[in-house]
């Protein structure tokens, strides 16, 4: 499968979560998404150049980068989200895994909601007490918030590693014990493999 065949297949099977996608098809799709993101990001930085802050304060620099408009990238992410999930599900099937492994993506999202609520409760409890105006959170509260938020990255990385390992596995046929794909007729004289 060529690069353009993989892109065409990704859009043709936009919401197809059944069947299979080869390693080449999957990784060409990933390459397409990365290249599209680079092109759109470059185009957005030309159309809407980042505002250079007056000072070299890292917070102002970070704020100027975060507030830069990215409508093209946002639209592309929305358009490519579903076919990305679909091609990943088909790649899992091709490697012999259930597409239900995609639900693992919900673990960091669910923990993020828990961590954000916990962080807001900590901040709220501090600022509702009788504290002087302009007072900052004590270091103990900051450490608690950091320990609430840090596992989000660890969980996200763990899910990423598991999904990469699954997508790197070679193709398994029905005759090799892959129950997620349809059997293909054997060629004359081909006895297949034993599982």
């Amino acid at each position: 499968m060529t690069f353009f065949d993989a892109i065409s297949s990704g859009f043709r099977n936009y919401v197809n979560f059944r069947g299979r996608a080869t390693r080449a098809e999957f990784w060409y799709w990933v390459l397409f998404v990365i290249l599209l993101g680079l092109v759109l990001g470059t185009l957005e930085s030309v159309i809407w150049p980042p505002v250079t802050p007056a000072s070299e304060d890292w917070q102002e620099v970070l704020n100027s980068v975060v507030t830069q408009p990215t409508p093209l990238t946002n639209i592309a992410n929305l358009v490519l989200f579903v076919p990305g999930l679909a091609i990943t599900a088909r790649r899992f099937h091709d490697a012999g895994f259930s597409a239900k492994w995609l639900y693992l993506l919900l673990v960091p999202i669910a923990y993020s909601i828990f961590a954000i609520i916990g962080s807001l409760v900590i901040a709220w409890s501090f600022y509702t007490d009788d504290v002087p105006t302009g007072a900052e959170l004590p270091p103990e509260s900051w450490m608690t918030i950091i320990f609430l938020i840090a596992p989000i990255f660890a969980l996200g990385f763990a899910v990423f590693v598991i999904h990469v390992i699954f997508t790197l596995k070679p193709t398994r046929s029905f005759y090799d014990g892959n129950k997620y794909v349809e059997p293909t007729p054997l060629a004359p004289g081909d006895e297949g493999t034993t599982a």
Side-chain angles (χ1 to χ4, degrees):
M1 177 165 288
T2 67
F3 178 73
F4 295 107
D5 291 339
I7 296 169
S8 174
S9 173
F11 284 114
R12 267 195 329 266
N13 296 305
Y14 198 88
V15 292
N16 181 12
F17 287 81
R18 296 183 182 273
R20 58 171 50 190
T22 63
R23 275 193 289 193
E25 182 180 353
F26 175 80
W27 289 109
Y28 277 141
W29 178 263
V30 170
L31 178 64
F32 163 70
V33 170
I34 291 170
L35 291 176
L36 183 66
L38 290 173
V39 168
L40 292 178
T42 304
L43 187 62
E44 287 170 336
S45 67
V46 169
I47 296 172
W48 301 284
V51 178
T52 307
S55 69
E56 293 297 320
D57 183 32
W58 68 271
Q59 290 175 332
E60 288 183 23
V61 172
L62 180 64
N63 188 36
S64 70
V65 170
V66 169
T67 57
Q68 180 181 358
T70 58
L72 301 176
T73 305
N74 294 340
I75 291 169
N77 288 337
L78 287 173
V79 169
L80 298 177
F81 179 71
V82 173
L85 286 178
I87 199 167
T88 304
R90 293 194 311 272
R91 178 66 198 119
F92 284 179
H93 289 164
D94 187 55
F97 300 103
S98 171
K100 292 179 182 175
W101 281 98
L102 285 174
Y103 288 126
L104 208 55
L105 292 169
L106 297 176
V107 172
I109 294 170
Y111 181 78
S112 298
I113 294 168
F114 165 76
I116 289 170
I117 291 171
S119 300
L120 290 174
V121 166
I122 291 169
W124 180 264
S125 66
F126 175 75
Y127 287 114
T128 55
D129 293 341
D130 293 330
V131 293
T133 305
E136 294 185 7
L137 281 172
E140 305 85 42
S141 296
W142 277 114
M143 290 304 293
T144 305
I145 291 172
I146 289 170
F147 279 113
L148 273 173
I149 293 176
I152 295 171
F153 302 105
L155 288 169
F157 183 72
V159 170
F160 172 76
V161 168
I162 290 168
H163 283 182
V164 167
I165 289 171
F166 284 3
T167 57
L168 288 174
K169 293 285 187 179
T171 297
R172 286 181 58 198
S173 72
F174 176 82
Y175 304 105
D176 289 329
N178 186 352
K179 64 182 181 178
Y180 300 105
V181 295
E182 296 292 323
T184 54
L186 293 174
D190 187 8
E191 296 179 15
T193 60
T194 56

